[in-house]
Amino acid sequence: MKSQIQIFEGNQEQGIFSKAKKFYKENATDEEIYNQIKKSRIKLGNKYNFNGLKMFQVLQKMEDNDEYEDNKSVEITEEYMQKEDFFTEEIHADILIISNKYKKVALSHRMADCPVLILEDRKIGKTAIAHCGIYHINRGLPQALIEEMINNQGSNPENLYLYIGSYIHKESYIYDTYPKQATNKDIWKDAIEKEKDGYHIDLLKAITNQIEKYNIKEVIISPINTADKNNNYASHYEAVHGNNNKLGQNIVGFYYK
């Protein structure tokens, strides 16, 4: 089955996609920041042939709290499409879903090292997206993404195609100590290795540890290492370690063609 979606990745070539004030000039106003992100989205849309204002993002919790239940999903329908700029719609969840009924309406998530997963069911015409940081991987979000499509959307694994977006690779992702977020030993089996320079974190392995049992049709993995100094991708890890050229946030998403 052919894919019905267009996947896109935006980076510093288009601009900054986060409203965090640390990425902007001192004393930048909320309006100035919004306009900069809007400009970046329009530039991204022009590159990938969609309207940058017809683009949703999800607001995801980054630690355990009661903001919403873990692995919450929201399906985008007309009720969310009442504003001129869809990006201003505040949706608090881990997973966003949309059907092929809505053409050229993009779902997206900001990222700066941790991968965005896009799971397409090519038969029923629905696709889900989730951002998987080390915290989300540890609590099983990649697995929950697949189970959402199988258990709640009626997907058959043989019709599921997973895209794992750009991310920081194992050779670049190094902790001085064993990462305290990695508490689930089954998920992190063979995904954290102690070497002379520290603990190397393999996010891809921790994701595939969770999804391999489902035997989905295909897994496509971006070859891009966000920490590579020779590309336009922002990297939180690189920025924290002094490389200001990598300061910012990227965005990964898709829309139905």
Side-chain angles (χ1 to χ4, degrees):
M1 272 181 279
K2 288 183 64 176
S3 176
Q4 300 177 49
I5 64 172
Q6 171 68 57
I7 293 172
F8 57 83
E9 296 206 0
N11 56 39
Q12 295 179 107
E13 181 182 356
Q14 290 81 41
I16 298 175
F17 295 92
S18 170
K19 63 181 181 180
K21 294 199 172 186
K22 65 181 179 180
F23 299 132
Y24 299 91
K25 66 181 182 181
E26 189 175 359
N27 299 321
T29 66
D30 291 342
E31 183 178 7
E32 287 173 329
I33 292 172
Y34 165 76
N35 286 331
Q36 179 58 59
I37 297 172
K38 181 179 178 181
K39 182 179 178 181
S40 299
R41 288 185 284 120
I42 290 172
K43 188 174 181 180
L44 177 68
N46 288 339
K47 179 177 180 178
Y48 287 98
N49 193 30
F50 71 96
N51 183 345
L53 299 183
K54 307 300 182 186
M55 182 177 181
F56 288 96
Q57 65 171 335
V58 63
L59 301 175
Q60 184 184 35
K61 65 181 182 180
M62 304 306 292
E63 59 185 17
D64 289 321
N65 58 46
D66 296 327
E67 183 178 348
Y68 58 80
E69 66 274 16
D70 287 355
N71 309 322
K72 177 184 176 182
S73 65
V74 171
E75 183 167 350
I76 297 298
T77 58
E78 287 97 337
E79 69 177 289
Y80 293 98
M81 302 180 191
Q82 304 306 309
K83 297 179 180 179
E84 180 181 358
D85 185 353
F86 294 171
F87 213 68
T88 62
E89 188 73 35
E90 293 195 2
I91 304 170
H92 296 264
D94 284 320
I95 301 168
L96 285 187
I97 304 167
I98 198 168
S99 80
N100 58 6
K101 176 181 177 181
Y102 304 105
K103 309 298 185 186
K104 289 198 172 182
V105 175
L107 305 190
S108 65
H109 204 296
R110 294 166 289 105
M111 52 78 64
D113 278 326
C114 299
V116 172
L117 275 54
I118 297 172
L119 186 62
E120 180 188 11
D121 186 320
R122 295 185 180 175
K123 185 171 183 179
I124 68 172
K126 285 191 175 184
T127 301
I129 185 171
H131 164 264
C132 293
I134 188 170
Y135 156 70
H136 308 101
I137 291 170
N138 186 72
R139 66 170 167 83
L141 181 54
Q143 175 177 316
L145 177 68
I146 295 175
E147 291 186 346
E148 167 63 32
M149 293 298 288
I150 294 172
N151 298 332
N152 298 327
Q153 305 298 326
S155 295
N156 187 317
E158 68 183 16
N159 301 318
L160 290 174
Y161 294 74
L162 178 66
Y163 175 76
I164 300 176
S166 55
Y167 66 99
I168 185 169
H169 290 194
K170 177 183 177 182
E171 64 267 23
S172 303
Y173 199 18
I174 307 167
Y175 274 41
D176 292 336
T177 58
Y178 189 93
K180 63 181 181 181
Q181 305 98 319
T183 60
N184 190 318
K185 293 183 178 180
D186 290 335
I187 286 175
W188 296 100
K189 183 180 179 181
D190 300 325
I192 301 175
E193 291 187 12
K194 186 177 182 180
E195 299 184 17
K196 289 182 179 180
D197 56 350
Y199 291 84
H200 285 245
I201 316 301
D202 190 343
L203 298 177
L204 180 61
K205 176 61 177 172
I207 291 170
T208 56
N209 280 345
Q210 298 182 50
I211 66 176
E212 58 190 2
K213 65 182 179 182
Y214 292 98
N215 296 315
I216 63 177
K217 183 68 174 180
E218 186 177 11
V219 179
I220 302 164
I221 303 167
S222 169
I224 295 170
N225 180 2
T226 51
D228 188 337
K229 297 175 178 61
N230 297 314
N231 63 35
N232 290 323
Y233 281 78
S235 167
H236 176 72
Y237 181 90
E238 280 293 307
V240 166
H241 287 81
N243 186 352
N244 289 330
N245 291 329
K246 303 289 275 183
L247 185 66
Q249 279 197 316
N250 317 298
I251 200 161
V252 176
F254 74 93
Y255 65 84
Y256 272 99
K257 293 181 281 190

